[in-house]
């Protein structure tokens, strides 16, 4: 389907939904969830952020765009018609649950902070219940959005640890680093490449897998750092293919500072990949003391100042030297703390409490 046809289909679905929503009446009893969008990616399809959470939940609570009794919104996937949707939910007596991820702050958003945070604030303040993805998510949301009016709790992101499992044996040679997710900030890719160059001073065979969308060109720096043949671009991938990508690496190099709660980190640990990362944000809550090594760095809302490539490279070398121990600890931590079923079960309890009776 071309872009114009896809847009027309989307508008058509929305128009039909609103025609039904504007019919007077309150929501019938029972749990019927709408995720704010007419279509949720099918299981195994590409998904990220709020899309991925809706995808997991929709397998158990299918997306119900018109006859809903509860609205579930992920703040990284808010609908364009958020304001009228919140009005419609209130009008029909439907509960609103918000999964709060991160916020815009001056260090990366500059003068756009207020505009980017406005819809997040609207969602959080309208919610009957807010699920914060980490303690860091709660602190940052209180700082930039305000405290919620309804109930709230902290519930870290989760992964299907029966799907995300370690390789039968580590890749040969190495170390092989994985820079996962989408590379939506230029510094993250540049820092990763410079870290790889520093690692190669100690491990000449070191290489890196780079996944997802790139917002900055990779070739100039690859050439300047003499990394040709050591950087492999994987591109975008679907959830069904993610474990196979993780299993091609020894460890995850996660270069984003103040990341609220990256599911990528949980998935990697479930696949037995320890994590080397800037020690800030919610990532520290996920990795803990034994799932990898966090590298200290200056932390403020005004500027993003990651650790140096040399400091990250030292941490990579430490992890690789004791890979078996770190790998087992990462896998155990993911299974014990971040498995999908308890996450789903807790959502079921929230939905049952809030849905009309």
């Amino acid at each position: 389907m071309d872009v114009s046809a896809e847009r027309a289909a989307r508008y058509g679905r929305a128009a039909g939904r609103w025609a039904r929503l504007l019919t007077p009446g309150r929501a019938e009893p029972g749990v019927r969830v709408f995720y704010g969008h007419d279509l949720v990616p099918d299981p195994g399809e590409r998904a990220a952020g709020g899309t991925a959470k809706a995808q997991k939940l929709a397998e158990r609570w299918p997306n119900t765009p018109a006859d809903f009794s509860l609205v579930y919104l992920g703040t990284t996937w808010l609908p364009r018609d958020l304001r009228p949707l919140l009005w419609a939910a209130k009008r029909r007596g439907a509960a609103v649950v918000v999964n709060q991820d991160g916020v815009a702050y001056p260090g990366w958003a500059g003068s756009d902070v207020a505009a980017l945070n406005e819809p997040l604030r609207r969602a959080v303040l309208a919610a009957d219940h807010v699920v914060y993805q980490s303690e860091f998510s709660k602190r940052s949301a209180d700082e930039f959005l305000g405290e919620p009016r309804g109930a709230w709790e902290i519930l870290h992101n989760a992964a299907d640890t029966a799907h995300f499992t370690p390789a039968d044996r580590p890749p040969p040679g190495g170390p092989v680093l994985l820079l996962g997710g989408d590379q939506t900030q230029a510094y993250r890719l540049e820092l990763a490449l410079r870290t790889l160059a520093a690692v190669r001073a100690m491990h000449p065979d070191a290489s890196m897998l780079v996944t997802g969308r790139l917002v900055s060109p990779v070739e100039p720096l690859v050439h300047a750092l003499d990394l040709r043949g050591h950087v492999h671009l994987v591109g975008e991938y679907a959830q069904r293919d993610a474990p196979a990508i993780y299993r091609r690496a020894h460890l995850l190099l996660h270069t984003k500072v103040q990341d609220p709660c990256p599911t990528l980190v949980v998935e990697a640990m479930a696949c037995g990949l320890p994590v080397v990362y800037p020690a800030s944000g919610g990532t520290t809550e996920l990795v803990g003391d034994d799932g990898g090594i966090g590298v200290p760095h200056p932390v403020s809302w005004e500027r993003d100042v990651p650790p140096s490539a040399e400091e990250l490279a030292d941490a990579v070398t430490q992890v690789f030297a004791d890979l078996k121990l770190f790998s087992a600890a990462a896998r155990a931590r993911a299974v014990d703390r971040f498995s999908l079923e308890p996450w789903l079960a807790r959502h079921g309890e929230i939905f049952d409490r809030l849905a009309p009776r």
Side-chain angles (χ1 to χ4, degrees):
M1 182 182 296
D2 62 32
V3 174
S4 58
E6 183 178 347
R7 184 182 296 114
R10 183 171 69 246
Y11 289 162
R13 289 191 297 268
R17 168 165 52 86
W18 275 105
R20 296 191 295 275
L21 284 178
L22 292 174
T23 302
R26 295 182 65 81
E28 294 295 326
V31 176
R32 295 177 306 284
V33 183
F34 177 42
Y35 300 98
H37 298 264
D38 291 293
L39 296 178
V40 172
D42 289 332
E45 290 185 352
R46 175 171 166 75
T51 318
K53 277 174 272 293
Q55 183 185 56
K56 294 170 184 173
L57 291 166
E59 288 195 63
R60 187 160 300 184
W61 296 279
N63 192 31
T64 310
D67 184 29
F68 58 82
S69 61
L70 187 145
V71 177
Y72 189 95
L73 300 172
T75 54
T76 55
W77 197 42
L78 291 174
R80 292 184 177 90
D81 55 355
L82 174 64
R83 187 194 294 261
L85 176 58
L86 293 174
W87 170 83
K90 182 177 181 180
R91 178 172 179 263
R92 64 191 288 118
V96 176
V97 179
V98 170
N99 188 294
Q100 169 58 33
D101 187 9
V103 298
Y105 61 89
W108 69 265
S111 61
D112 294 330
V113 167
L116 291 172
N117 282 336
E118 191 279 330
L120 279 62
R121 180 181 297 108
R122 184 178 300 280
V124 165
L125 296 182
D128 297 286
H129 194 101
V130 180
V131 174
Y132 293 96
Q133 296 181 15
S134 63
E135 294 176 10
F136 174 78
S137 291
K138 177 67 166 66
R139 291 196 305 272
S140 57
D142 286 353
E143 176 77 17
F144 288 93
L145 309 181
E147 296 190 13
R149 294 169 179 163
W152 62 271
E153 65 184 88
I154 294 167
L155 185 63
H156 292 96
N157 291 337
D160 183 350
T161 54
H163 178 60
F164 290 93
T165 57
D168 293 334
R169 60 182 62 85
V176 181
L177 285 57
L178 172 65
L179 183 68
D182 288 323
Q183 313 314 319
T184 54
Q185 292 167 292
Y187 83 85
R188 292 162 58 182
L189 177 59
E190 178 180 347
L191 179 57
L193 294 174
R194 293 190 182 280
T195 299
L196 175 61
V199 170
R200 286 193 64 226
M202 297 169 277
H203 297 278
D205 292 337
S207 62
M208 179 183 292
L209 306 174
V210 178
T211 72
R213 294 180 290 111
L214 307 180
V215 296
S216 55
V218 66
E219 285 301 324
L221 196 54
V222 166
H223 178 74
L225 296 174
D226 193 24
L227 294 177
R228 291 190 182 279
H230 294 267
V231 177
H232 309 286
L233 303 182
V234 176
E236 298 180 86
Y237 57 89
Q239 289 298 98
R240 66 173 66 89
D241 303 320
I245 294 172
Y246 293 134
R247 293 171 192 145
R248 293 169 56 188
H250 293 106
L251 59 91
L252 177 71
L253 177 63
H254 189 64
T255 54
K256 182 176 180 178
V257 303
Q258 304 211 83
D259 203 344
C261 188
T263 305
L264 162 72
V265 165
V266 178
E267 294 172 349
M269 291 197 304
C271 289
L273 271 62
V275 185
V276 171
Y277 66 101
S280 60
T283 310
T284 60
E285 300 170 40
L286 301 178
V287 181
D289 296 330
D290 48 4
I293 296 179
V295 179
H297 67 102
V299 176
S300 82
W301 296 123
E302 301 308 314
R303 285 186 65 207
D304 282 344
V305 184
S308 69
E310 291 72 23
E311 291 172 312
L312 289 170
D314 286 343
V316 168
T317 301
Q318 291 178 53
V319 168
F320 190 63
D322 208 355
L323 184 63
K324 187 173 182 180
L325 181 64
F326 274 108
S327 178
R331 168 69 181 174
R333 185 172 177 84
V335 171
D336 291 345
R337 294 173 178 261
F338 308 117
S339 287
L340 182 60
E341 188 54 43
W343 186 85
L344 291 171
R346 178 56 191 152
H347 277 85
E349 294 169 355
I350 296 169
F351 294 170
D352 288 341
R353 176 174 63 83
L354 294 176
R357 297 182 181 278

